[in-house]
Amino acid sequence: MKNLHITHPEDYTFDGKVACQNVIEIMRSVMDDFNQEDNVVSVKYDGAPAIVFGTDKTNGRFFVGTKSVFNKGIKKICYTNDCIDYYYSYKDNLAHILKLCLKYLPRVSGVYQADFIGVGDGNLNEFTPNTITYKFDNPPTEDIIMAVHTCYVGDNFDDMIAVPQSSLTMPGLNVKWVDGTVYYNEERIIEEAFKYSMDAIIDQLEIMNDDDFPVFKTKTAKTQLMKLINTYIREGRILNAEDLSKETGINYRVFELYELIANAKEILINRFLPCESVECFVNNRPANHEGIVIHHCGIASQDVIKLVRRYEFSRANFSNMKFQKRPVGVS
């Protein structure tokens, strides 16, 4: 499984009762201090682009690229600047970033994925790779700033499996590696609020049958539902269960369960505090980190979920025009 897309826990509501039960068990496990050996938890950085780099085992050459290295068709694997120009000549900013990564990233033997945060010059201490602006205590002097979060296991790009990492110590004096590790907030009120929210979810599930959950005949049908949800979030509308049920024909209890899981997620996010001393801003206003990523080792499927402050950051992302183009390293 590649780290190409990670699902919000509440979105599993539309995959049936068993999917909901599995996600609930993951959330319970990660809340429990005694189950941390089953979970890898890391801060979700809002970097861009996603950079995949390492040594291609098929030929022993170091490469950089985007997630396109995992394409089913043409795999855009860049070993040289000429390769970067060939694939990305029409994207000047991306090509420039890839060339910086090719020049400065350490020649590691494995394959890794990281978020590009910016370019350090010893003067700037604020960087806005996407929606969130990150402010460091001191201006980074390293040439590039990266938040590495995943390593890949496998002999070729088609069969590689993503293994999320909470923190990686990597060589390279030219790279500032942003620490994604967390420590646990021990406030009792978080545990009590989470237990209360879990009880409400279990009560809701007990009155629901398998037939209450939607069955999508095509992928397009589910995609349209997710677009509708995103429209509500983008417009700042309340996800009212009765309104959504009338609009979609899906049982209103499904949308009630969706909101209950989303509320539990918001509580769970507060369980984790980032170790790295980085201030966050959105539209020049102080903000929290976007969220965290959980890799749960005890379940074979649905084992990677993201806990994102969705109403805050998804809405900001929807309205962010900076996704089009922005100069490298400029906040």
Side-chain angles (χ1 to χ4, degrees):
M1 180 184 65
K2 311 299 188 303
N3 188 12
L4 304 182
H5 176 74
I6 306 175
T7 302
H8 300 278
E10 62 267 30
D11 287 350
Y12 283 112
T13 307
F14 306 118
D15 292 335
K17 193 169 186 177
V18 172
C20 292
Q21 291 168 335
N22 287 343
V23 167
I24 290 167
E25 287 308 308
I26 294 175
M27 295 173 71
R28 278 177 162 170
S29 174
V30 81
M31 170 61 76
D32 188 352
D33 283 337
F34 299 102
N35 283 333
Q36 294 315 314
E37 67 274 10
D38 294 332
N39 303 293
V40 176
V41 182
S42 60
V43 176
K44 187 179 188 303
Y45 273 88
D46 186 40
I51 301 293
V52 181
F53 66 98
T55 298
D56 184 344
K57 289 189 177 182
T58 64
N59 56 26
R61 301 179 67 184
F62 182 81
F63 75 92
V64 297
T66 67
K67 297 177 191 177
S68 295
V69 304
F70 297 118
N71 283 351
K72 292 182 179 179
I74 298 174
K75 301 183 188 305
K76 298 181 179 181
I77 304 169
C78 302
Y79 308 104
T80 66
N81 285 340
D82 287 341
C83 289
I84 295 172
D85 288 333
Y86 178 78
Y87 288 123
Y88 299 105
S89 60
Y90 62 100
K91 293 184 177 180
D92 293 341
N93 196 51
L94 176 56
H96 181 55
I97 290 173
L98 288 171
K99 288 178 180 179
L100 290 173
C101 290
L102 184 62
K103 181 177 181 179
Y104 294 118
L105 285 173
R107 270 44 183 170
V108 292
S109 59
V111 175
Y112 300 90
Q113 183 173 325
D115 287 325
F116 183 86
I117 304 298
V119 176
D121 61 3
N123 296 311
L124 289 174
N125 69 336
E126 294 186 13
F127 304 88
T128 312
N130 244 342
T131 300
I132 300 177
T133 295
Y134 296 105
K135 183 178 181 179
F136 296 87
D137 288 342
N138 298 303
T141 58
E142 295 84 353
D143 293 285
I144 55 176
I145 306 162
M146 309 287 291
V148 62
H149 53 73
T150 302
C151 70
Y152 287 94
V153 178
D155 293 328
N156 60 74
F157 292 100
D158 287 326
D159 299 328
M160 283 184 175
I161 298 174
V163 182
Q165 307 289 307
S166 61
S167 179
L168 285 174
T169 300
M170 303 188 77
L173 296 177
N174 300 104
V175 184
K176 177 175 176 58
W177 301 106
V178 179
D179 189 356
T181 55
V182 300
Y183 63 94
Y184 295 94
N185 188 338
E186 301 291 346
E187 292 185 39
R188 184 69 179 174
I189 190 172
I190 296 176
E191 296 180 14
E192 293 175 352
F194 184 75
K195 182 181 181 302
Y196 180 84
S197 67
M198 282 290 111
D199 289 343
I201 291 170
I202 296 304
D203 289 344
Q204 181 75 1
L205 276 173
E206 286 181 352
I207 64 174
M208 296 179 69
N209 300 315
D210 290 336
D211 292 341
D212 292 329
F213 292 87
V215 176
F216 301 99
K217 296 181 180 179
T218 64
K219 290 184 179 180
T220 302
K222 184 178 179 181
T223 299
Q224 291 301 317
L225 173 60
M226 300 316 302
K227 286 182 177 179
L228 177 63
I229 295 290
N230 287 333
T231 297
Y232 270 65
I233 294 172
R234 180 173 59 248
E235 296 176 355
R237 297 164 62 188
I238 296 174
L239 293 173
N240 181 278
E242 291 187 2
D243 290 344
L244 285 166
S245 178
K246 292 177 181 178
E247 193 166 352
T248 63
I250 296 172
N251 192 311
Y252 73 94
R253 286 182 174 146
V254 173
F255 293 109
E256 289 180 339
L257 180 61
Y258 179 97
E259 275 297 283
L260 287 173
I261 295 177
N263 290 338
K265 176 196 70 176
E266 292 287 338
I267 296 170
L268 185 58
I269 291 174
N270 295 316
R271 177 67 156 167
F272 309 100
L273 300 170
C275 291
E276 179 87 40
S277 179
V278 179
E279 294 182 79
C280 302
F281 299 86
V282 174
N283 296 326
N284 296 319
R285 296 179 180 178
N288 295 305
H289 275 278
E290 182 180 4
I292 66 169
V293 175
I294 298 170
H295 177 229
H296 182 70
C297 306
I299 296 178
S301 61
Q302 301 177 14
D303 56 351
V304 183
I305 59 174
K306 58 185 176 183
L307 308 184
V308 173
R309 296 176 174 89
R310 199 168 185 178
Y311 289 94
E312 180 180 356
F313 289 107
S314 291
R315 190 177 182 189
N317 283 336
F318 285 134
S319 60
N320 186 0
M321 297 305 295
K322 292 180 290 187
F323 281 108
Q324 305 301 317
K325 280 189 178 181
R326 62 176 293 103
V328 176
V330 177
S331 61

